[in-house]
Amino acid sequence: MGMSFDRYMRDMVQPMRDELTELGIRELKTPEEVEEVLPTAKGTTLVVVNSVCGCAAGQARPGVAHALQHEVKPDHLCTVFAGQDKEATAKAREYFAPYPPSSPSIALLKDGELVHFIERHQVENRSAEEIAADLTDAFDRYCR
């Protein structure tokens, strides 16, 4: 009769993925891809935990896009998609301790160690501009 649920969900979330990949952010879809990048990346790595929720659409993704216009940026840009690439997201979250899982969220790592983290509750209650300012402050502190 129709399309499978998995296919439907993939098609539905593709534009949400594209918002980040069009910025040059690399999708990590498997735990192996996460392990290939996060523990060995030299310098700074931004990891966006993407989500289908409204605060990801209205604040997190636009905030990241705005922050990446800043002259100082992380060396590496990655994303995992919560609820879609579940194993990759779980593996990435291992690097975000002591923070509990939340999505959307945004992590900044330096040489594989977490140095800055924006949790969902910090996304929900702020504008995209405020999130961008938070990120650019972290970029200035850790990415020079």
Side-chain angles (χ1 to χ4, degrees):
M1 156 105 191
M3 180 184 310
S4 74
F5 178 75
D6 288 340
R7 170 79 189 254
Y8 170 78
M9 287 304 294
R10 271 195 312 274
D11 291 349
M12 187 180 91
V13 303
Q14 191 59 52
M16 299 171 206
R17 291 178 183 273
D18 294 346
E19 279 186 66
L20 295 178
T21 59
E22 289 172 357
L23 298 170
I25 299 175
R26 176 183 173 189
E27 279 192 295
L28 305 176
K29 293 185 173 187
T30 67
E32 294 79 18
E33 289 176 330
V34 171
E35 281 300 303
E36 175 186 305
V37 175
L38 295 191
T40 60
K42 297 294 179 209
T44 52
T45 305
L46 184 74
V47 183
V48 180
V49 179
N50 202 353
S51 174
V52 298
C53 70
C55 62
Q59 290 111 288
R61 291 191 300 266
V64 168
H66 186 64
L68 291 177
Q69 295 174 19
H70 190 58
E71 72 177 58
V72 177
K73 298 184 230 343
D75 300 306
H76 311 280
L77 306 171
C78 305
T79 183
V80 293
F81 206 114
Q84 300 300 306
D85 303 322
K86 294 175 186 175
E87 294 84 8
T89 303
K91 180 56 76 177
R93 285 176 170 154
E94 291 177 12
Y95 293 90
F96 307 157
Y99 295 96
S102 76
S103 56
S105 58
I106 307 164
L108 183 64
L109 292 87
K110 185 165 190 169
D111 297 326
E113 298 295 320
L114 184 68
V115 294
H116 189 75
F117 194 69
I118 299 174
E119 297 178 83
R120 178 187 174 98
H121 72 87
Q122 296 168 305
V123 171
E124 292 174 312
N125 298 317
R126 296 194 291 173
S127 69
E129 293 76 18
E130 290 169 315
I131 293 164
D134 185 335
L135 288 171
T136 57
D137 287 346
F139 296 171
D140 286 340
R141 179 180 298 155
Y142 299 106
C143 300
R144 291 193 182 264

